[in-house]
Amino acid sequence: MLLKYDKPVPRYTSYPTAAKFHSGVGAVDLAGQLARPSNEPLSLYVHVPFCRHACWYCGCNRITTQLGSKVVAPYLESLAQELALIAGLLPQRRRLAQLHWGGGTPNYLNAEEQSQLWNLVSRHFDLEPDLEASIEVNPEFIDRDQAFHLRGLGFNRISFGIQDADPDVQQAVNRVVPVEQLRRGMGWLREAKFESVNVDLICGLPRQTPERFRTTLELVRELRPERISLFSFAYLPEQLPLQRKIAASDLPNQHDRLMMLEDAQQLLCSSGYEAVGMDHYALAGDSLAEAARAGLLHRNFQGYTTGGELELLGVGPTAISQFPHLFTQNERDLKAYTRALEEGRLPVERGLVVKDAETLDRRELIRQVMCEFAATINLDRFSGEWQELQELAKDGLVKLETSGPLGLLTVTTSGRWLIRTIAAVFDPQQQQRASGSRLV
């Protein structure tokens, strides 16, 4: 079934997707949104764009530099300007229920700079007592002092990328982190008493084989993080020039990629992990697994989250803000981002206003499919989609029932592998022209 339906599909971290963003939405729209009174807490995302070296598989917005504090200092000044602009627009001081630093490499910042950034955030927002504060780190550069410093600041969740632990695979993507460093890093995070550790894995990297990947999976089982993100590598050298350093002939074939995904499913689910969404695994006691079981899982530009319908405010270059009827994305170029702030403007490059009732209904159906693996469908309004779902039902990907004017869709266990394909049934643009990354 994966091979049959293997075509480009969005990951649906939003609907409409970021591909629909345009320059007609800008700083004025975000300012108007921020000016609306609200007593609800926020989720804040901070983008740290710097990396010491480039990983060749990467599609993130990042700046590769060895200049350290010479680039970090002006970046923090710009962040301070952005946060001050935002605070000046808010009619009241807002609370933070979630805080996430991503990148790039957030632990590119030294301890003093990390403290400076944390204090910048707490200067403008009230941090809730049970704040979920998470950070992404490169395990190559983590040490015991840094682990304890981050925990002392207030971070209680941390994530690092393993991708693949095999030295040949690591060499092929320019991301070399010895296994012993991964073990030491996890030991320091446990010693510092982080409440939850996530590791990222990627299936489909160059020189990867089922045997090599199984060794990586065994290492992950040994490290026993609370969460695992298992992504399928999207090879897009036309769009991502860095990936041109990867030879297509080094990539595993579809059969081997499927074997690796199936191995991961069997090994992890037999080791106390529950499959969450389309690409996550979590130990049964982790809040992500609990949210999935309770039907409280949600999805935004950071992926699957327990944060409910929290409004998401993004700061830093390329950061995306997500509100019920508005998306905005900051300038992706660091110089343009800095220039806007020097001119006293919110650094918004593009965005999207979403108020159309049908679009909002489609968004909700896609959310239900991606997060709840079930949806309730108005058969009169979505008769064409219901017919298309009949074909997926024949392949055992969904179960369909009717109850008067409503159709009830339930995704099967097999269908979870193709959750994006099922969600795409409700996306008219996807039906007209396939876009996104392939399933395998």
Side-chain angles (χ1 to χ4, degrees), residues 166-183:
D166 184 87
D168 283 346
V169 177
Q170 292 183 351
Q171 288 284 351
V173 295
N174 198 38
R175 169 72 174 239
V176 179
V177 186
V179 168
E180 282 311 306
Q181 172 63 7
L182 295 172
R183 288 193 174 102

Side-chain angles (χ1 to χ4, degrees), residues 63 92 137 147 211-212 229 233 256 271 336 354 372 385 403:
I63 298 167
Q92 64 204 80
V137 298
E211 292 73 25
R212 286 175 168 176
S229 302
F233 177 50
D256 283 352
S271 303
V354 185
E372 299 175 13
E385 287 80 358
S403 178

Side-chain angles (χ1 to χ4, degrees), residues 25 54 144 161 163 180 266 393 425 428:
V25 173
R144 186 177 183 276
Q163 322 311 358
E180 282 311 306
Q266 292 183 2
V425 169

